């Protein structure tokens, strides 16, 4: 594949869940995007709620063009696992179709945009031609190793080698021979064959995907059937990191001082002041932080 040469062509994809609280978070996040990236090429919102709010969202983000999608799995599955992954697969298919050549910055609604990021993301992809998915990878933004996170998901993928196995927490039965387990098991084998490591992943919440990554997913058919994810217990960041490696691209860290992503989960890895001092443009997560409540963090970042 010939790699696309980067301009400042970047779009955002936002996954919004149901309920009033997530609607409020979406408004805050869009306000931050419009403030810091007013010339962004587009924003795609994939939502678990009906599109009755589309006009309000479009007005809020204007003049940035908006594409508003309803999650096909709304009301089904888990909002942090399969339902989220189905929605994002739908959004990434739309991005590959409608915005070819544009890199994607994916954001959850509990992220905060605190500075411009598009040019920085584009330059990184220009300088790292095999980077397919970037953000918080092997080290978090406090420079702590993420191997414990990887170990848990590597154990999950090891189970896929079994003919039949049960997920204890959910009492769900899976098999590598049928159903959702069959698709995940096949992707695991393809990832290993491509030199990748299933279970190593770029942290969700906020990350960037190279435009060529999306094009490769489209061309090899990964974006053509989002229903493969429904019923799985694989989180979107783990699943898309595996897809990235299947497509022949690398997972890369982009959360060192002066780099875009100050991403951690749950809560923030550092105090808000330290995250700003490190120069991160996008921080996550402003909910479930152990040292400050969400309202206080919103007030802090809105003062910037």
């Amino acid at each position: 594949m010939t790699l696309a040469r980067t301009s400042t062509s970047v779009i955002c994809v936002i996954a919004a869940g149901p309920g009033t609280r997530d609607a409020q978070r979406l408004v805050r996040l869009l306000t931050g995007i419009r403030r810091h990236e007013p010339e962004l090429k587009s924003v795609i919102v994939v939502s678990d709620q009906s599109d009755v709010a589309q006009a309000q969202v479009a007005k809020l983000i204007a003049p940035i063009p908006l594409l508003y999608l309803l999650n096909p799995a709304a009301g089904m599955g888990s909002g942090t696992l399969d339902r989220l992954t189905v929605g994002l697969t739908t959004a990434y298919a739309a991005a590959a179709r409608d915005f070819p050549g544009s890199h994607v910055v994916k954001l959850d609604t509990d992220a905060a945009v605190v500075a411009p990021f598009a040019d920085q993301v584009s330059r990184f992809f220009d300088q790292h031609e095999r980077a397919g998915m970037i953000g918080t990878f092997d080290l978090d933004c406090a420079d702590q190793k993420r191997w414990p996170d990887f170990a848990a998901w590597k154990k999950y993928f090891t189970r896929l080698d079994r003919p039949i196995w049960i997920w204890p927490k959910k009492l769900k039965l899976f098999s590598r021979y049928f159903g959702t387990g069959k698709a995940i098991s096949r992707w695991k084998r393809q990832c290993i064959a491509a030199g990748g490591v299933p279970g190593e992943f770029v942290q969700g919440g906020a990350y960037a995907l190279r435009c060529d990554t999306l094009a490769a997913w489209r061309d090899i058919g990964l974006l053509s059937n989002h229903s493969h994810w429904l019923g799985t217990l694989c989180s979107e960041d783990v699943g898309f990191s595996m897809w990235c490696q299947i497509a022949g691209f690398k997972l890369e860290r982009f959360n060192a001082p002066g780099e875009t992503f100050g991403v951690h989960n749950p809560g923030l890895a550092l105090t808000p002041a330290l995250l700003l001092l490190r120069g991160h443009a996008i921080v996550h997560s402003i909910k479930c932080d152990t040292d400050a409540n969400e309202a206080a963090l919103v007030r802090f970042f809105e003062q910037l």
Side-chain angles (χ1 to χ4, degrees), residues 160-164 174-183 185 189:
L160 294 178
D161 293 328
R162 305 174 187 173
I164 295 177
F174 293 88
S175 171
R176 70 185 189 207
Y177 296 120
F178 58 82
T180 57
K182 181 178 180 180
S185 182
R189 295 192 301 272

Side-chain angles (χ1 to χ4, degrees), residues 62-298:
I64 302 171
L66 171 74
L67 177 60
Y68 194 100
L69 304 172
L70 180 63
N71 187 344
M76 297 183 281
S78 166
T80 59
L81 295 171
D82 54 344
R83 184 168 76 232
L84 175 59
T85 311
V86 168
L88 286 170
T89 302
T90 304
Y92 294 154
R97 180 191 66 233
D98 297 343
F99 304 100
S102 293
H103 305 310
V104 168
V105 170
K106 177 264 182 180
L107 300 166
D108 283 350
T109 53
D110 56 334
V113 175
V114 300
F117 57 83
D119 286 348
Q120 193 176 53
V121 167
S122 293
R123 285 195 302 271
F124 186 89
F125 281 129
D126 264 351
Q127 295 164 6
H128 302 78
E129 290 194 338
R130 300 315 306 173
M133 185 174 182
I134 62 175
T136 292
F137 178 44
D138 53 338
L139 299 175
D140 68 17
C141 53
D143 297 321
Q144 299 298 307
K145 292 182 178 180
R146 294 187 60 237
W147 304 128
D149 293 342
F150 293 169
W153 282 105
K154 286 179 179 179
K155 184 176 181 180
Y156 168 87
F157 283 107
T158 299
R159 290 183 174 133
L160 294 178
D161 293 328
R162 305 174 187 173
I164 295 177
W165 59 281
I166 297 174
W167 185 270
K169 291 182 179 180
K170 301 288 184 178
L171 294 179
K172 289 177 69 75
L173 184 143
F174 293 88
S175 171
R176 70 185 189 207
Y177 296 120
F178 58 82
T180 57
K182 181 178 180 180
I184 300 292
S185 182
R186 181 178 69 253
W187 292 332
K188 172 193 171 179
R189 295 192 301 272
Q190 291 173 339
C191 179
I192 294 172
V197 182
E200 293 189 359
F201 65 102
V202 174
Q203 177 73 56
Y207 55 76
L209 291 166
R210 186 186 194 90
C211 59
D212 303 287
T213 306
L214 293 171
W217 291 354
R218 177 198 61 210
D219 293 345
I220 62 181
L222 291 174
L223 296 176
S224 61
N225 187 355
H226 54 68
S227 64
H228 281 311
W229 290 111
L230 200 57
T232 68
L233 296 174
C234 186
S235 65
E236 59 93 9
D237 47 5
V238 174
F240 293 133
S241 293
M242 181 168 60
W243 276 13
C244 177
Q245 295 173 94
I246 289 172
F249 291 98
K250 293 182 178 181
L251 311 176
E252 297 274 2
R253 182 189 186 195
F254 194 47
N255 65 346
E259 296 179 338
T260 298
F261 296 103
V263 174
H264 184 263
N265 189 58
L268 300 175
L270 300 166
T271 67
L274 281 175
L275 288 170
L276 295 182
L277 186 64
R278 283 173 60 94
H280 300 301
I282 297 171
V283 300
H284 177 277
S285 165
I286 63 167
K287 69 178 183 181
C288 302
D289 189 70
T290 56
D291 297 321
N293 63 41
E294 185 172 345
L297 292 173
V298 168

